[in-house]
Amino acid sequence: MDSKKKIKVLYIDDEPNNLISFKASFRFDYNILIANNTDEALEKLQENQDISVILSDQKMPGMTGVEFFEDIRTKYPNPIRILITGYADIDSVINAINRGHVFRYIKKPWTDVDVQSAIDEAHKFYVTTSMLAVKNEELQKAYDELDKFAYSATHDMRGPILSVLGIIDLTKNAEDMAEIKEMVGMMENAMLKLDNYIQNLHDHYSIRRGELNITEVDFEDIMKDMSDLYDIAGRLKNVRFDKSVEQVGKFRSDDISIKIIINNLLSNAFKYQRKDFDDKFVSMDIKVHNNTAIITIEDNGIGIPEKNLGDVFTMFFRGANDEIGSGFGLYNVKDALGKINGKIDVKSKENEGTTFTVTIPSK
Amino acid sequence: MSNEKINFIVVDDSKLDCFIAEKIIQNTGKCETVKVFQQASDALSHIKGADTSGTTVVFCDIQMPVMNGFEFVENFENLDADLKQNYHIYMLSSSINENDIAKVKGYSSVKHFLNKPLTNDTILAVLEEY
């Protein structure tokens, strides 16, 4: 077994002879640290945060093993504690075990087999508890996200439905055909908004749960797809759309993730334009060299206030007073980038525009 | 219900919901003026700058970007008492979240929590109070 992977064990005893014989017996199986008193033990614990098992003698001058374990429990909750003691102290041992301070006790004089099995068991327990702590943290994060999600989803999905119900209520008393037509148009918009939200939601979960499908990615194709999606919208909104692609060599990644990323960034770039500004543009530049794709999406729209720059990738954060944003887009971008090991950088100035630079490595 | 006409302010980031509220309000025939704001901060500066004559009913959404309904109410509550006295705030939301509803009840200046959409029946019930 390589020494880095050996279980790290700290042994505390005021008898130097015990320390020496302990180390001699177990140094091949474990990574043994020894301490002659509790102060020294504290230093070792501080220096070695990865100690998984601590064995301590009970009878020591100054502080007993049980007292020492009680003392370190809050600061070092993770290492598993084993007490070594003679029959005389059995009451304090029982007490300590019952109070949860000690995982096992080994009676003196110890045998190699006893010590070995106690350490191995303790280590197993240590690994399980640490893994549980990590899993719990992940779960907590997922719960928090779900709470936030449920809250916003009710708002974002009920919103358009309630609007339509409101209009239906209005149409009951409306007689003018032109007015009714106007209202139907409004209902259509509300439904489009809901549909857009649901599609974002779908994107979100396909990124989250979906398996990556790594294939060769042709950025010319992606550019054509984006042209299909945005050329007409650009013309209607009077926004120039510049595109350039330069791909040297093959590039492998998940092309659905890449499309979700580019699509969201472009959608924002077209959405957040300055209304009364004449020379509107959005540009997309893709360069693929040395197994790295650099995608730059730039616009000269409303920009992002400096105080919001840190929040734009947060789920459901909405920085603008528009009614189209769902607070999902950039969060999805960040999520998708996480899956394909990409990075994103944003530079923006209010009323001048925004530039997103995405860097993705080939797989 | 008196025959006095009432001023209305609608605060909602959704253009559509503003439209609905405006129509419903106009249909009551009790409306002196109705002003619509898609940004809570604009509504607030309007209230600060307006002359304070006449009863004004405010319908305010909760979930809005930049300044939400709660922040609007908190800012409103900091205004001078004689400025505030003519305004009657109703929170109007799609929220079915209990925390939101409980939070609304905590504001002394909010009269009621109303569910979206604003309908003819709801607004008539509101107008009973004036």
Side-chain angles (χ1 to χ4, degrees):
Chain A
M1 208 195 281
D2 124 54
S3 77
K4 274 181 205 154
K5 291 209 174 131
K6 273 189 196 167
I7 300 169
K8 220 175 211 180
V9 175
L10 174 63
Y11 178 55
I12 310 146
D13 201 317
D14 60 320
E15 288 276 345
N17 285 339
N18 284 350
L19 292 175
I20 292 162
S21 72
F22 186 88
K23 193 163 187 174
S25 308
F26 300 112
R27 70 197 158 93
F28 293 111
D29 301 314
Y30 309 111
N31 185 351
I32 306 275
L33 300 166
I34 49 173
N36 204 10
N37 53 55
T38 53
D39 288 339
E40 213 176 282
L42 280 175
E43 269 170 43
K44 292 267 154 62
L45 274 170
Q46 179 62 36
E47 287 159 16
N48 301 276
Q49 301 281 343
D50 54 342
I51 290 174
S52 64
V53 182
I54 309 172
L55 297 106
S56 175
D57 185 28
Q58 163 68 351
K59 273 201 174 152
M60 293 184 292
M63 200 186 252
T64 66
V66 169
E67 281 164 353
F68 174 69
F69 283 156
E70 268 196 80
D71 222 44
I72 59 165
R73 210 154 86 105
T74 351
K75 200 171 177 200
Y76 303 100
N78 298 329
I80 307 302
R81 298 169 292 268
I82 296 174
L83 197 68
I84 300 183
T85 182
Y87 275 121
D89 319 304
I90 207 74
D91 279 350
S92 59
V93 174
I94 291 170
N95 239 332
I97 292 178
N98 286 345
R99 267 144 65 198
H101 298 155
V102 175
F103 175 72
R104 278 270 182 103
Y105 89 93
I106 299 169
K107 59 178 192 281
K108 265 183 179 170
W110 41 262
T111 65
D112 284 10
V113 181
D114 279 354
V115 172
Q116 225 154 7
S117 92
I119 292 177
D120 291 347
E121 286 287 313
H123 181 69
K124 253 187 228 161
F125 192 69
Y126 171 83
V127 171
T128 321
T129 356
S130 329
M131 253 163 59
L132 207 64
V134 171
K135 285 281 166 206
N136 272 342
E137 207 171 291
E138 280 172 13
L139 261 181
Q140 192 54 50
K141 220 180 123 201
Y143 276 141
D144 289 349
E145 202 172 79
L146 201 64
D147 275 353
K148 213 164 148 194
F149 171 74
Y151 178 78
S152 292
T154 28
H155 175 258
D156 293 343
M157 296 209 255
R158 282 192 92 215
I161 294 171
L162 297 177
S163 299
V164 169
L165 286 174
I167 301 175
I168 290 172
D169 189 62
L170 274 175
T171 50
K172 284 178 187 158
N173 298 316
E175 270 149 30
D176 178 14
M177 201 55 205
E179 201 184 344
I180 293 173
K181 277 194 177 157
E182 191 193 354
M183 290 179 190
V184 171
M186 286 177 167
M187 291 196 262
E188 187 182 13
N189 281 335
M191 287 299 102
L192 287 173
K193 194 180 159 188
L194 181 61
D195 186 46
N196 178 45
Y197 181 83
I198 292 169
Q199 278 182 25
N200 276 323
L201 196 64
H202 173 80
D203 280 358
H204 172 68
Y205 279 98
S206 20
I207 302 164
R208 257 299 140 93
R209 299 269 165 251
E211 297 284 304
L212 290 182
N213 182 18
I214 308 290
T215 54
E216 261 176 42
V217 178
D218 182 351
F219 282 94
E220 282 285 343
D221 284 349
I222 289 186
M223 189 199 72
K224 275 182 204 127
D225 280 355
M226 296 301 146
S227 285
D228 289 346
L229 283 171
Y230 289 102
D231 278 351
I232 294 170
R235 239 173 284 145
L236 287 174
K237 289 181 170 171
N238 214 6
V239 181
R240 200 174 76 234
F241 185 21
D242 300 331
K243 294 148 285 206
S244 57
V245 180
E246 194 185 297
Q247 178 167 7
V248 180
K250 285 182 177 159
F251 188 86
R252 290 175 63 79
S253 190
D254 177 47
D255 82 321
I256 297 198
S257 295
I258 292 178
K259 276 180 195 162
I260 287 173
I261 292 160
I262 298 180
N263 189 18
N264 271 300
L265 293 175
L266 282 177
S267 156
N268 281 348
F270 280 99
K271 204 184 288 170
Y272 298 111
Q273 288 289 336
R274 283 174 283 172
K275 283 199 179 71
D276 306 318
F277 185 65
D278 281 335
D279 187 27
K280 300 182 211 145
F281 82 85
V282 170
S283 80
M284 166 172 80
D285 177 62
I286 302 174
K287 283 197 170 62
V288 186
H289 293 284
N290 305 324
N291 292 320
T292 306
I294 297 172
I295 303 162
T296 313
I297 289 169
E298 188 183 351
D299 66 65
N300 59 355
I302 60 173
I304 304 164
E306 208 181 327
K307 67 174 166 59
N308 290 346
L309 272 178
D311 289 322
V312 292
F313 296 106
T314 308
M315 193 189 220
F316 301 122
F317 176 81
R318 290 168 63 198
N321 276 303
D322 69 279
E323 54 171 326
I324 339 153
S326 64
F328 239 138
L330 288 179
Y331 179 81
N332 276 347
V333 167
K334 187 110 197 239
D335 236 24
L337 278 169
K339 286 230 150 180
I340 55 175
N341 307 326
K343 277 190 320 204
I344 186 160
D345 184 49
V346 53
K347 287 197 173 59
S348 186
K349 206 157 184 199
E350 253 183 301
N351 291 319
E352 286 186 20
T354 306
T355 307
F356 283 96
T357 312
V358 174
T359 313
I360 305 168
S362 177
K363 290 244 177 197
Chain B
M1 209 193 304
S2 72
N3 285 321
E4 188 203 343
K5 290 219 170 183
I6 294 173
N7 300 309
F8 290 89
I9 288 177
V10 178
V11 189
D12 198 318
D13 63 313
S14 156
K15 236 186 227 166
L16 196 52
D17 289 354
C18 286
F19 169 87
I20 296 167
E22 203 177 350
K23 282 273 177 195
I24 295 268
I25 289 165
Q26 279 162 353
N27 288 349
T28 60
K30 303 276 295 176
C31 155
E32 178 75 33
T33 63
V34 51
K35 291 207 161 59
V36 168
F37 299 95
Q38 274 172 263
Q39 302 186 27
S41 54
D42 290 349
L44 206 63
S45 6
H46 169 78
I47 291 173
K48 280 184 199 157
D51 60 52
T52 54
S53 65
T55 302
T56 304
V57 169
V58 181
F59 292 116
C60 183
D61 184 25
I62 293 179
Q63 280 166 305
M64 294 182 285
V66 187
M67 187 195 275
N68 67 25
F70 296 127
E71 289 162 332
F72 171 81
V73 173
E74 277 155 27
N75 278 295
F76 174 83
E77 289 189 343
N78 287 331
L79 298 177
D80 290 341
D82 55 332
L83 189 62
K84 282 191 284 189
Q85 62 177 352
N86 289 316
Y87 292 92
H88 307 277
I89 300 180
Y90 294 82
M91 294 306 255
L92 184 62
S93 174
S94 64
S95 181
I96 35 179
N97 181 287
E98 281 154 27
N99 291 339
D100 280 354
I101 297 168
K103 202 169 171 189
V104 166
K105 290 192 177 135
Y107 293 107
S108 56
S109 58
V110 177
K111 300 208 95 170
H112 276 296
F113 175 91
L114 304 174
N115 288 308
K116 273 189 181 180
L118 188 60
T119 62
N120 216 21
D121 294 345
T122 327
I123 198 161
L124 289 179
V126 166
L127 289 175
E128 284 291 324
E129 296 177 30
Y130 302 95

